[in-house]
Amino acid sequence: MVKIELLSENNFNEYSLDSYVRKQAVKRVYRREGSKYVLVDMPYVEDWNLERKRQVAKAISSDEYISYIALDDDAVIGFIGLKKRLNNDNMILDMMHVSAACRGMGIGSKLFDLGKEEAKKAGAKGLYISACSSEETIAFYKAMGAELTNHPIQEIADDEPYDLQMICVVE
Protein backbone atom coordinates (compact mmCIF):
# COMPACT_ATOMS: atom_id res chain seq x y z
CA MET A 1 0.00 0.00 0.00
CA VAL A 2 1.31 3.43 -0.96
CA LYS A 3 1.75 5.98 1.80
CA ILE A 4 2.91 9.57 1.55
CA GLU A 5 4.94 11.08 4.37
CA LEU A 6 6.80 14.25 5.16
CA LEU A 7 10.47 13.44 4.54
CA SER A 8 12.42 13.08 7.78
CA GLU A 9 15.61 11.48 9.03
CA ASN A 10 13.44 8.58 10.24
CA ASN A 11 12.19 7.64 6.76
CA PHE A 12 14.89 8.89 4.36
CA ASN A 13 18.67 9.07 3.95
CA GLU A 14 21.25 9.68 1.24
CA TYR A 15 20.79 6.11 -0.07
CA SER A 16 16.99 6.13 -0.16
CA LEU A 17 16.87 6.80 -3.90
CA ASP A 18 19.48 4.18 -4.86
CA SER A 19 16.83 1.79 -6.23
CA TYR A 20 14.48 4.54 -7.40
CA VAL A 21 13.62 4.26 -11.11
CA ARG A 22 13.83 7.75 -12.60
CA LYS A 23 13.24 6.90 -16.21
CA GLN A 24 11.15 8.77 -18.73
CA ALA A 25 10.92 7.94 -22.41
CA VAL A 26 10.12 11.27 -24.03
CA LYS A 27 8.70 11.38 -27.54
CA ARG A 28 7.60 15.00 -28.00
CA VAL A 29 8.56 18.25 -26.34
CA TYR A 30 7.34 21.82 -26.43
CA ARG A 31 9.53 24.38 -28.14
CA ARG A 32 8.91 28.06 -28.67
CA GLU A 33 8.16 29.12 -32.22
CA GLY A 34 7.65 32.86 -32.34
CA SER A 35 5.18 33.79 -29.62
CA LYS A 36 3.77 30.32 -28.95
CA TYR A 37 4.82 26.82 -27.96
CA VAL A 38 4.44 23.89 -30.34
CA LEU A 39 5.04 20.17 -29.91
CA VAL A 40 7.99 18.78 -31.84
CA ASP A 41 9.31 15.23 -32.13
CA MET A 42 12.42 14.84 -30.00
CA PRO A 43 12.71 11.29 -28.67
CA TYR A 44 15.11 10.64 -25.81
CA VAL A 45 15.24 8.76 -22.53
CA GLU A 46 15.96 10.57 -19.30
CA ASP A 47 17.43 8.42 -16.57
CA TRP A 48 19.50 9.06 -13.46
CA ASN A 49 22.68 7.28 -12.52
CA LEU A 50 23.52 6.42 -8.92
CA GLU A 51 25.54 9.61 -8.40
CA ARG A 52 22.61 11.78 -9.56
CA LYS A 53 20.17 9.87 -7.32
CA ARG A 54 22.38 10.53 -4.31
CA GLN A 55 22.76 14.22 -5.21
CA VAL A 56 18.97 14.55 -5.35
CA ALA A 57 18.54 12.62 -2.08
CA LYS A 58 21.00 14.94 -0.37
CA ALA A 59 19.29 18.04 -1.78
CA ILE A 60 15.68 17.17 -0.89
CA SER A 61 16.68 16.13 2.63
CA SER A 62 18.56 19.38 3.30
CA ASP A 63 17.26 22.21 5.48
CA GLU A 64 16.50 24.23 2.33
CA TYR A 65 13.58 21.96 1.39
CA ILE A 66 10.18 20.80 2.52
CA SER A 67 9.85 17.38 0.94
CA TYR A 68 7.33 14.58 0.86
CA ILE A 69 7.99 11.02 -0.23
CA ALA A 70 5.63 8.36 -1.55
CA LEU A 71 6.53 4.93 -0.21
CA ASP A 72 5.52 1.43 -1.21
CA ASP A 73 6.81 -1.13 1.31
CA ASP A 74 9.39 1.44 2.45
CA ALA A 75 10.73 1.92 -1.10
CA VAL A 76 10.55 5.48 -2.45
CA ILE A 77 8.33 5.57 -5.52
CA GLY A 78 7.83 9.34 -5.72
CA PHE A 79 8.76 12.63 -4.12
CA ILE A 80 8.32 16.37 -4.19
CA GLY A 81 10.91 18.90 -3.07
CA LEU A 82 9.84 22.47 -2.34
CA LYS A 83 12.25 25.29 -1.58
CA LYS A 84 11.42 26.73 1.85
CA ARG A 85 12.54 30.24 0.93
CA LEU A 86 9.90 32.05 -1.10
CA ASN A 87 10.81 33.90 -4.27
CA ASN A 88 8.65 37.01 -4.24
CA ASP A 89 5.22 35.53 -3.53
CA ASN A 90 5.97 32.06 -4.88
CA MET A 91 7.14 28.79 -3.40
CA ILE A 92 9.38 26.98 -5.85
CA LEU A 93 8.57 23.38 -6.66
CA ASP A 94 12.15 22.37 -7.40
CA MET A 95 11.70 18.65 -8.02
CA MET A 96 8.81 16.27 -8.37
CA HIS A 97 9.01 12.76 -9.75
CA VAL A 98 7.03 9.54 -9.67
CA SER A 99 8.72 6.27 -10.56
CA ALA A 100 7.89 5.13 -14.10
CA ALA A 101 6.03 1.99 -13.00
CA CYS A 102 3.83 3.99 -10.61
CA ARG A 103 2.64 6.78 -12.90
CA GLY A 104 -1.07 7.07 -13.50
CA MET A 105 -1.96 5.92 -9.96
CA GLY A 106 -2.70 9.40 -8.55
CA ILE A 107 0.58 9.65 -6.62
CA GLY A 108 1.75 12.74 -8.51
CA SER A 109 -1.58 14.48 -7.90
CA LYS A 110 -1.37 13.78 -4.17
CA LEU A 111 2.22 15.03 -3.99
CA PHE A 112 1.30 18.16 -5.96
CA ASP A 113 -1.66 18.86 -3.66
CA LEU A 114 0.69 18.62 -0.66
CA GLY A 115 2.96 21.11 -2.42
CA LYS A 116 0.07 23.53 -2.83
CA GLU A 117 -0.83 23.15 0.84
CA GLU A 118 2.76 23.87 1.90
CA ALA A 119 2.79 26.95 -0.33
CA LYS A 120 -0.42 28.20 1.30
CA LYS A 121 0.98 27.58 4.79
CA ALA A 122 4.08 29.58 3.87
CA GLY A 123 1.95 32.51 2.69
CA ALA A 124 2.81 32.04 -0.99
CA LYS A 125 0.38 33.08 -3.69
CA GLY A 126 1.66 30.55 -6.18
CA LEU A 127 3.63 27.40 -6.72
CA TYR A 128 6.35 28.09 -9.30
CA ILE A 129 7.44 25.23 -11.56
CA SER A 130 10.30 25.02 -14.04
CA ALA A 131 8.83 22.03 -15.88
CA CYS A 132 10.50 19.59 -18.23
CA SER A 133 9.06 20.42 -21.64
CA SER A 134 7.90 16.87 -22.40
CA GLU A 135 4.32 16.53 -23.56
CA GLU A 136 3.37 14.30 -20.60
CA THR A 137 4.93 16.55 -17.98
CA ILE A 138 3.23 19.70 -19.25
CA ALA A 139 -0.11 17.86 -19.53
CA PHE A 140 0.22 16.78 -15.89
CA TYR A 141 0.95 20.28 -14.58
CA LYS A 142 -1.85 21.78 -16.66
CA ALA A 143 -4.25 19.18 -15.25
CA MET A 144 -3.13 20.30 -11.78
CA GLY A 145 -4.08 23.91 -12.60
CA ALA A 146 -0.69 25.31 -13.57
CA GLU A 147 -0.29 27.67 -16.50
CA LEU A 148 2.62 29.20 -18.33
CA THR A 149 3.82 32.32 -16.58
CA ASN A 150 4.54 35.64 -18.22
CA HIS A 151 6.85 36.49 -15.30
CA PRO A 152 9.53 33.79 -15.13
CA ILE A 153 12.18 33.76 -12.43
CA GLN A 154 15.03 34.64 -14.75
CA GLU A 155 17.83 32.71 -13.03
CA ILE A 156 15.74 29.52 -13.10
CA ALA A 157 14.74 30.06 -16.73
CA ASP A 158 18.39 30.68 -17.62
CA ASP A 159 19.52 27.49 -15.84
CA GLU A 160 16.92 25.38 -17.67
CA PRO A 161 16.41 27.07 -21.06
CA TYR A 162 14.23 24.26 -22.47
CA ASP A 163 11.94 24.03 -19.44
CA LEU A 164 8.57 25.73 -19.48
CA GLN A 165 8.09 28.18 -16.61
CA MET A 166 4.71 27.65 -14.99
CA ILE A 167 2.73 28.89 -12.02
CA CYS A 168 -0.13 27.36 -10.09
CA VAL A 169 -2.13 29.85 -8.02
CA VAL A 170 -2.69 28.51 -4.50
CA GLU A 171 -4.81 31.23 -2.85
Side-chain angles (χ1 to χ4, degrees):
M1 181 172 166
V2 175
K3 59 185 175 181
I4 296 178
E5 300 177 354
L6 184 64
L7 184 149
S8 73
E9 60 187 30
N10 297 323
N11 63 14
F12 195 86
N13 62 52
E14 65 182 295
Y15 308 108
S16 292
L17 295 180
D18 284 5
S19 61
Y20 181 77
V21 180
R22 169 54 179 116
K23 192 168 192 173
Q24 183 174 359
V26 174
K27 292 184 174 84
R28 300 191 318 164
V29 298
Y30 283 93
R31 291 293 183 260
R32 184 181 283 278
E33 283 188 10
S35 63
K36 64 181 181 171
Y37 284 95
V38 296
L39 279 169
V40 298
D41 291 333
M42 190 173 290
Y44 68 93
V45 175
E46 185 169 347
D47 202 356
W48 288 349
N49 63 25
L50 186 60
E51 179 182 0
R52 178 69 177 136
K53 291 175 187 180
R54 289 187 179 166
Q55 287 172 343
V56 170
K58 185 177 180 181
I60 64 172
S61 60
S62 76
D63 289 340
E64 295 178 34
Y65 285 82
I66 299 167
S67 300
Y68 286 87
I69 53 175
L71 300 163
D72 186 15
D73 291 330
D74 295 326
V76 177
I77 59 169
F79 61 89
I80 185 170
L82 307 150
K83 295 250 180 150
K84 286 182 181 177
R85 186 178 59 84
L86 298 184
N87 186 301
N88 294 322
D89 290 330
N90 297 310
M91 179 170 269
I92 297 172
L93 187 164
D94 192 46
M95 290 181 256
M96 191 175 104
H97 300 282
V98 174
S99 186
C102 300
R103 293 184 191 134
M105 298 169 52
I107 297 165
S109 298
K110 290 175 184 168
L111 290 168
F112 193 82
D113 286 344
L114 287 167
K116 291 194 306 188
E117 288 303 315
E118 288 294 339
K120 285 180 195 174
K121 283 196 280 188
K125 292 182 179 173
L127 195 55
Y128 185 91
I129 309 142
S130 182
C132 166
S133 61
S134 74
E135 182 175 19
E136 300 82 6
T137 300
I138 300 307
F140 169 79
Y141 285 124
K142 284 185 174 184
M144 295 294 99
E147 297 188 11
L148 293 176
T149 181
N150 293 323
H151 306 287
I153 299 171
Q154 200 58 52
E155 70 183 65
I156 294 175
D158 289 345
D159 282 346
E160 298 287 349
Y162 293 114
D163 279 10
L164 272 61
Q165 306 305 306
M166 304 181 82
I167 195 92
C168 181
V169 175
V170 298
E171 294 182 301

